[in-house]
Amino acid sequence: MINILARIHRYAKTVPARPALADGCGVMSYAALQREIARMTAALAGRRVGLMAANGTPWVVLDLALMARGAVCVPMPSFFSDTQLLHLSGDAGLDMIVTDQPQRLEALLRTPPLVRLFVGGRRLAC
């Protein structure tokens, strides 16, 4: 999968304005995608990171940033019950959880999120 990172890097240099990602909230160019991946690679910590967020540009950026760091992305589907999410997070040995549902994460873990991130122009928490 590292090949995808090399291709993004190449397209960011050769066709920087070309759309790389699009969702219902906007479009991200290859140059912007490259910048966001680099920024999130530096901002994220841990080897195993849970990702509890809706499908969209931020999810893709975070998944690619974790791949660039050599970390494991553990998807945490929002349709899981709280019990399932707690079981998943315990079994997976997560170092961090990134979410677009900070209130749900706080209720699950009984502690407020420590960090606020903006990914692809949208606010997330971990």
Side-chain angles (χ1 to χ4, degrees):
M1 290 303 271
I2 300 301
N3 191 29
I4 193 169
L5 297 171
R7 285 178 186 241
I8 291 168
H9 180 74
R10 184 174 74 221
Y11 291 160
K13 286 183 178 251
T14 59
V15 288
R18 182 180 286 172
L21 297 174
D23 62 16
C25 295
V27 177
M28 183 178 285
S29 70
Y30 277 100
L33 177 58
Q34 172 95 9
R35 284 191 304 273
E36 282 291 279
I37 291 170
R39 195 171 69 79
M40 287 298 102
T41 299
L44 297 171
R47 298 282 307 146
R48 300 181 66 75
V49 178
L51 186 48
M52 187 171 68
N55 289 335
T57 297
W59 203 103
V60 174
V61 169
L62 291 165
D63 188 39
L64 291 167
L66 291 167
M67 182 187 306
R69 288 186 65 248
V72 175
C73 177
V74 179
M76 300 178 72
S78 61
F79 61 82
F80 272 20
S81 69
D82 290 351
T83 302
Q84 288 172 310
L85 289 172
L86 284 171
H87 182 75
L88 170 64
S89 65
D91 275 4
L94 301 178
D95 300 311
M96 171 187 267
I97 298 173
V98 180
T99 186
D100 59 2
Q101 304 167 45
Q103 295 84 6
R104 186 172 184 197
L105 183 63
E106 183 174 352
L108 280 172
L109 302 179
R110 298 194 173 116
T111 183
L114 300 175
V115 178
R116 303 284 182 192
L117 298 173
F118 285 88
V119 184
R122 285 179 246 165
R123 186 177 177 166
L124 300 175
C126 41

